Amino acid sequence: MKNQECVRRKGRFEGCALRLWIAVGLLLATCGSGVAQSDSFWRHALHTEALLDTLQAQVVHFSSYDRGSGNNDQGNYYGTDSAGWQVLCDVTGPGVIAEVWSTMLPLAPDIRLRLYVDNLTTALIDTPLISFFGRAAPFVPPLADTSSGGFFSYVPIPFSSRARITYNGPPLYFHVTALTYPAGTTMTPLTMPPGSAYMARLDSLRSRFANPLQPAWPSRSTVRQSASAALAAGQSQELLHYTGRGGCRRLMVRIGTHTQPALENVWLRVYSDHNPLPDIEGPLSTVFGAALGWWPYRSVFTGFSGDSLYLNLPLVFRSEFRVELENRTGSSQTVNTYADLVTLSAQETPPFKVRGVYREENPTPAWAGHKIADVQGAGTYLGMLLDAQTTDGHILEGDETIALDGEATPSWRGTGTEDYFDGGYYWNDGAIYQALGFHGCIRFAGYIAAAYRWHVTDPVPFTNRFQMDIEVGGWNQLQGHYRTMAYFCMTPPRWTVVDADSQSFAGQNLRLVGTGLTPLAELTDVHLGTTSLSVRSGAGQVSVDSVLDVTVTMPSGLASGIYPLSAVLSTGTETVAAAWPYFAAPEFSFAPVRQDLDTCVFGGDTLAVDISGLPSGTTVSLFAESTPLSWMGATPTADGNENLHGLALIPGTLSYGDHALRATAPPMADVVCGQALKVRPFVRYELEALTLTSWRWSTQFIGYAPDWILPTSTEPWGRNLVRDISANGVGDYGQFAFTLPSGGVFQPVYFFGTTNSGVIVRTKIDDSVDVAGQDTYNGPIVWRWDRSDSVRGRVQPLAAGPHTVRFEVAGRNPSSIGWTMILDQIVLQAQVESSPAPPPQPVSHVVAFLDSINGVRLCWPPVTQDSSGEALTPSGYRIYRTAGLDTAFALFGQVGAMDTTFVDTTRANIPVFRLFYYVKAVANGGVGGTSALELPAQPREMKGRRPVR
């Protein structure tokens, strides 16, 4: 998408893009009058309830996404035409171009678009780009306009055989969505001027966009169901219950408290047809798009009407409809619900039902992004609501991807988060944001965003699977608190397996829910492959409402693998899941809390441990080979989903090498992790992941190395990301913070990018010069990069805790054409003796105790020699501490050479604490490589509860 420099540069265009309306349209070529259009497109575009029918269409998506999987999502096209113009889309039909978007550009008349419909020789429209987005009929407001930094058009462009859009301006961010229909579908192409039938339907679409409160089945009479309740904290209550066949065309909720915490913690569940699983479930904030409190807006499907929230999706039911609310806040909440219901005959009942998929991740997994939905079956994607809360606005660099029907490579690839919502430039950096009928930014402030996008003209049909993900940051390098609600019209699943991770383990319980079954049919068996499963709970007979809800227990002794899961009924055998993963033993994984490219660990590090497939309530003991690992905080137990999550501390006595990590929980067999626990004498830091503490330069951005490196380069680039710094001259610098998990003697190794504008780089560790100068000029190759060899610094002692690394411009090669620093990564290699001496033993009479007034008091004897036995005269003592779940010691205090006590009074601010300390004697202020002795060799642990005063 956009680097920081591009964002600033393009931001100046915003003030130029004034909403100046042209009174007359452009003089456009006339190709005849339009006649009646096929209903294939217009029916679902104008009538919400039509989306509940199967759409005989395929979606085709075009965009300027980076073809190299980087973040340079600008100016990438689909070739050029015979006139040399860039191709934005080229699609064969019959079909409709249903939506066009680009970032806002200046109003220069020479920036132009050409639209070809069927005839690829003569353009139907040849116009300045701005005219296509609100300045010339039929591309006029409200369906074509500007919005929060973007141009958009929902004006349909039907074609019978082919359509193409070309462009001749500066590099453009764009996307175009088209729907294509089966051969033989009647589709009257767009003409200029448009025909009367086309304009009549276009006027109806304009009305729908501009007046979004119009519900489904608008001509039908309705029956209003309503109820109110005062929900106590923690209470769930059914408020609406209707028996019969029909549809809910509008569901409304009014809540007495309009605060963000209330909206986030009062949950709605919508059920239909006696299914024990809800069709829609989630917090009011995400179901209705009230993510950041009471910020009224109106869209075609969700929004605010007066003091109520509304949902205008067509909720169909065949026998029953009910609504439940749950109060997860800490106080009573007054709620009111209203439902406008219509009656439908059996012949009028469509095949699809609305389904909502709510997902929340806090934080989103690093380098993995946020999964919006992964659903099985046939259906149509209608759109989504996003609530993203983070501390870094660069999450908006993240692109959305949609994979249809099992595609290995997603055919839909976007150019940035706000681009998907038809905005641009980070929604104008919050200066202006708009909420419109089909898309909008409800609220954007301080990198906290609430937005929605409804696929009214461009719904996304699929036949068996839909997968949608969104990056968090340009390369998924960031993390945030993401909540999304994606809505679908889908075939109700006949079978649902209720399982959080879609896999099973020996002894695990699994819930199976079947709907639409033959009433009163007997369940005679459940099979995993050919193995019979015991039914733990639930009826052995299908209910009169055609529902079966049972819980089965996974077998023991079966080999790990993928098996069909089936239910044997008196009416026949039903496939519950064609391929269900089964593991004969629990699954064990871990990851260091401190991010590291190689997942290496050190003494004092913390591991995040996950074990799936344990019986609920099980606790385990951890070992690295035979060395025990202690849990941080309370010992974790397996939850109701049979998953155990906990944090474990790596002891400092663990030797370097690869260790097998195992968990014991007698009488169960030991669970061995498939990953090796790698304890290493080095640690690697990626520069793009380090915190920038101070700087002086012109600009900088995080770059995706494959966009820039030499085609012949085979050098590894870590995560393929670098910091690219443009300096102004000698003395410019960037300084970054890093934390060492363990102290020792290290040699830093640096890796730089080299380029034709490279400089001579000086590096410093903690303000001491490490590398006096490294020339990063690589010759006259224009703008391309290559990676340097290992650039080694000096061997030096570094204590555990925080440090800084500084990169300064010390000069430049006379041949260099610029002032560029490209920073890849640093490796700190620990210097380990071939036969290391045993570590010093703890001094037995070092004591620490709690004092209810003064805090934690540390006492130690004077230090007279270092760890090798050489005489040592300390100049002082440094006290290091880690608290809570911190994984690295930090310098906490210092006393003089004559002092052998230290009092930590800050522990009064830690109500329940777990503290680790060690004391280091230093000579000459720690300068000059003088040896020092750590007391004790293993940190002394102090834990307890602060006394009540």
Side-chain angles (χ1 to χ4, degrees), residues 108-310:
D110 59 340
I111 300 175
R112 301 181 69 84
L113 283 181
R114 286 176 177 169
L115 170 65
Y116 298 84
V117 173
D118 294 340
N119 181 350
L120 299 187
T121 303
T122 303
L124 178 67
I125 294 175
D126 185 345
T127 177
L129 177 115
I130 184 61
S131 298
F132 198 83
F133 298 104
R135 305 299 179 85
F139 303 97
V140 294
L143 289 178
D145 206 344
T146 61
S147 168
S148 306
F151 290 137
F152 70 89
S153 173
Y154 296 108
V155 175
I157 304 171
F159 54 93
S160 60
S161 60
R162 194 169 182 180
R164 175 184 289 175
I165 299 176
T166 61
Y167 165 79
N168 77 330
L172 187 67
Y173 296 93
F174 71 89
H175 66 244
V176 179
T177 309
L179 292 173
T180 61
Y181 295 84
T185 301
T186 300
M187 190 67 68
T188 303
L190 176 69
T191 61
M192 295 304 296
S196 58
Y198 174 91
M199 290 305 299
R201 284 170 166 161
L202 188 64
D203 286 343
S204 295
L205 188 61
R206 286 180 179 138
S207 176
R208 186 172 183 203
F209 185 93
N211 303 286
L213 280 177
Q214 175 184 322
W217 303 290
S219 61
R220 297 246 180 186
S221 60
T222 62
V223 175
R224 169 158 285 197
Q225 296 277 313
S226 64
S228 60
L231 299 180
Q235 180 184 3
S236 295
Q237 182 173 331
E238 181 183 279
L239 273 77
L240 299 180
H241 193 162
Y242 178 83
T243 301
R245 180 186 294 271
C248 173
R249 72 179 196 179
R250 177 171 295 155
L251 177 64
M252 303 181 74
V253 174
R254 185 169 71 236
I255 180 171
T257 305
H258 291 176
T259 63
Q260 182 176 341
L263 294 166
E264 289 178 347
N265 290 287
V266 174
W267 279 54
L268 173 83
R269 298 185 185 92
V270 178
Y271 297 86
S272 65
D273 304 333
H274 304 280
N275 192 330
L277 305 177
D279 298 330
I280 299 171
E281 178 181 23
L284 299 182
S285 60
T286 314
V287 171
F288 294 98
L292 302 179
W294 204 261
W295 293 93
Y297 76 98
R298 289 184 176 182
S299 77
V300 292
F301 293 148
T302 59
F304 294 71
S305 178
D307 59 355
S308 300
L309 303 163
Y310 69 82

Side-chain angles (χ1 to χ4, degrees), residues 46 73 92 224 235 242 282 475 668 738 760 804:
L46 297 177
D73 294 324
T92 57
R224 169 158 285 197
Q235 180 184 3
Y242 178 83
W475 305 275
M668 292 177 55
F738 66 93
I760 297 172
T804 61

